[in-house]
Amino acid sequence: MIESLYVHVPFCSYKCPYCDFVSFVNSAISHEDYLKLLIKELELYKGESFSLKTLYLGGGTPSLISPELYREFLKAFDVDLSQLEEFTIECNPETYREEEFKKMKDLGLNRVSVGVQSFKEKGLRMLGRRHTVKESIDCIMSAYHAGIENISIDLIYAYPNQTLKDLKEELRFIEDLPVKHVSCYILTPYEDTLFGHLLSKGKLQLPDADKIADMYLFLVEKLSSLGFDHYEISNFATPGYECRHNLSYWLGKEFLGLGVSAWSFVRDVRFGNTKNLNKYATLVLMGRKPAHQWEVLKGKRKLQDTLFTRLRTKWGIPKEYANLIPEDLSEFFEITNESIRLKEEGMLLINEILLRVFRLLEARHGLLPDEETPANWQATL
């Protein structure tokens, strides 16, 4: 049963130097035509069972599309949206204001995620962002005055020349803003981004591991003191305001992704759409699903995925998996009557810890055989 629907909107007014998401500054396909393609793609999955609880408009910059176009888009949906518990749009600070938020709220929007990234002008310039701190605050307050209570912000830390003092100054803004959720991401210069190229040439200097650890632990401590629960490695929420849509990913529920580069998980198969916008459009107009990569999540692979996603959260993994935790790593775990989860120090080392856990699992792979992806997987979806 598909409970969550993700819609990828790939349009941007400019490309950030750290961004590895599929996005286009100039596109031959208009906003209106792209939304029509999304509807046609959804029709290709009309045989699936839907009980939608969350809808997430991500990108890219979904707030480049007008509320009027979104109204027509939602009207064309052939699935029931009346039971939505959470309807989110990602928003760049320089786009929507109170009027647009009110129109979106009339369509059922009840959650806004604002791409603040930094509350310091020097941080915004370093990250290649073109909005200002004032525009971030104006956007947040506009959503709040429009009657949207569930407001989330994204922050990026450990950018070049950032100090712990800078981070402390940034977090002071949160004390005075009506924010219910904060996502904090370490700057990661992915290979195919401008920052990735600069790093490979030695032209980008990032804080060392000790400074990043200090920043991370400060974030946890400070946000906790402000009433935010650290419920996922990069996410903090006041009670009851966890991102329900993202929880569907981390807790292994079925979800469908629409749009170029979007990922889905349906009936034990995870599949991703093509990243080529023209190819995406061609396939959808031909009545073909635009997925181009996939894997079956069963057996050992399913267990690996469960460990990878759930150990990122405060809920951790069932206690029955205790034998998969290497004894010399036990100090990084907290064991309760029902679960095993990583301590904050363990979250800092999650990649290294997971590598060790997977190696231990691999040594016992005979008990958990892999599943082959069926050749006709698309016909079964």
Side-chain angles (χ1 to χ4, degrees):
M1 185 74 71
I2 297 171
E3 297 186 3
S4 296
L5 185 65
Y6 173 80
V7 175
H8 188 73
V9 180
F11 307 112
C12 281
S13 56
Y14 61 94
K15 187 73 173 178
C16 296
Y18 56 83
C19 179
D20 73 329
F21 291 114
V22 172
S23 61
F24 308 99
V25 176
N26 298 302
S27 170
I29 298 178
S30 69
H31 294 175
E32 186 174 10
D33 287 342
Y34 183 75
L35 294 180
K36 290 178 180 178
L37 288 171
L38 294 174
I39 294 299
K40 288 184 177 296
E41 184 187 1
L42 179 60
E43 291 173 356
L44 300 176
Y45 294 94
K46 60 184 178 182
E48 298 296 332
S49 297
F50 290 87
S51 180
L52 290 183
K53 300 293 189 297
T54 72
L55 171 60
Y56 195 105
L57 304 179
T61 309
S63 53
L64 286 180
I65 293 182
S66 70
E68 288 75 18
L69 282 181
Y70 279 129
R71 178 181 293 110
E72 296 306 311
F73 171 64
L74 294 174
K75 279 183 181 178
F77 264 40
D78 192 26
V79 291
D80 183 14
L81 299 178
S82 64
Q83 302 302 311
L84 284 181
E85 299 172 357
E86 182 183 272
F87 177 4
T88 302
I89 188 171
E90 291 181 348
C91 184
N92 265 17
E94 68 273 23
T95 52
Y96 281 6
R97 286 298 180 265
E98 188 171 343
E99 180 181 356
E100 287 83 7
F101 283 127
K102 283 182 177 179
K103 290 178 180 178
M104 291 299 294
K105 186 173 184 290
D106 289 341
L107 299 180
L109 184 79
N110 59 11
R111 186 175 185 273
V112 173
S113 179
V114 183
V116 172
Q117 314 311 355
S118 177
F119 277 118
K120 291 186 76 71
E121 294 297 341
K122 82 166 190 177
L124 292 173
R125 302 294 84 78
M126 183 61 69
L127 293 168
R129 302 290 290 185
R130 297 183 184 176
H131 68 270
T132 64
V133 172
K134 182 181 183 301
E135 286 176 316
S136 292
I137 295 171
D138 288 347
C139 183
I140 292 168
M141 296 309 300
S142 293
Y144 180 72
H145 290 310
I148 299 173
E149 181 182 5
N150 194 350
I151 300 173
S152 176
I153 62 171
D154 284 356
L155 294 177
I156 295 175
Y157 67 101
Y159 54 78
N161 300 320
Q162 186 186 29
T163 65
L164 185 58
K165 181 176 180 290
D166 291 330
L167 184 59
K168 290 179 178 179
E169 292 174 356
E170 296 206 38
L171 292 194
R172 290 196 187 111
F173 282 83
I174 296 175
E175 299 179 27
D176 301 319
L177 291 170
V179 172
K180 300 294 187 182
H181 187 281
V182 183
S183 298
C184 301
Y185 303 108
I186 298 173
L187 176 63
T188 304
Y190 292 102
E191 183 178 355
D192 291 330
T193 66
L194 175 58
F195 275 2
H197 294 308
L198 292 175
L199 185 67
S200 68
K201 295 179 180 178
K203 296 181 179 181
L204 186 71
Q205 299 298 319
L206 301 176
D208 61 33
D210 288 339
K211 288 182 180 179
I212 292 175
D214 288 342
M215 289 180 181
Y216 175 82
L217 294 173
F218 170 74
L219 278 167
V220 173
E221 179 183 0
K222 180 61 177 179
L223 289 173
S224 295
S225 73
L226 296 177
F228 290 86
D229 179 33
H230 188 200
Y231 74 98
E232 193 271 343
I233 192 168
S234 301
N235 289 276
F236 304 78
T238 54
Y241 287 92
E242 297 84 0
C243 180
R244 299 183 187 183
H245 182 84
N246 287 344
L247 283 176
S248 68
Y249 303 158
W250 299 322
L251 300 181
K253 297 182 179 179
E254 289 192 348
F255 60 90
L256 181 66
L258 300 179
V260 61
S261 80
W263 282 86
S264 304
F265 177 55
V266 179
R267 287 188 277 113
D268 291 327
V269 179
R270 174 174 289 156
F271 52 99
N273 285 351
T274 176
K275 296 181 179 181
N276 184 301
L277 183 57
N278 290 330
K279 184 175 181 180
Y280 168 80
T282 298
L283 290 171
V284 171
L285 290 174
M286 291 173 60
R288 294 175 55 189
K289 293 168 184 171
H292 80 125
Q293 53 184 320
W294 54 89
E295 64 176 331
V296 171
L297 294 184
K298 288 186 177 180
K300 181 182 66 180
R301 187 64 192 91
K302 175 65 173 178
L303 180 53
Q304 287 177 327
D305 193 75
T306 297
L307 294 171
F308 176 78
T309 53
R310 290 191 65 102
L311 280 177
R312 296 175 60 88
T313 73
K314 71 174 185 178
W315 297 281
I317 56 177
K319 193 175 181 180
E320 64 200 61
Y321 294 147
N323 65 326
L324 294 178
I325 307 302
E327 290 185 12
D328 61 326
L329 296 181
S330 60
E331 63 181 296
F332 297 110
F333 289 85
E334 178 182 347
I335 301 177
T336 68
N337 290 333
E338 297 180 352
S339 67
I340 305 168
R341 63 183 185 183
L342 284 169
K343 298 177 182 177
E344 297 298 350
E345 297 82 0
M347 289 287 190
L348 275 168
L349 301 170
I350 188 169
N351 290 335
E352 293 85 350
I353 289 173
L354 283 172
L355 181 60
R356 290 282 306 282
V357 171
F358 287 169
R359 284 176 178 170
L360 186 58
L361 177 60
E362 190 69 27
R364 303 169 182 174
H365 72 277
L367 300 177
L368 295 161
D370 281 325
E371 293 285 338
E372 294 294 329
T373 302
N376 65 336
W377 73 275
Q378 285 182 305
T380 68
L381 290 176

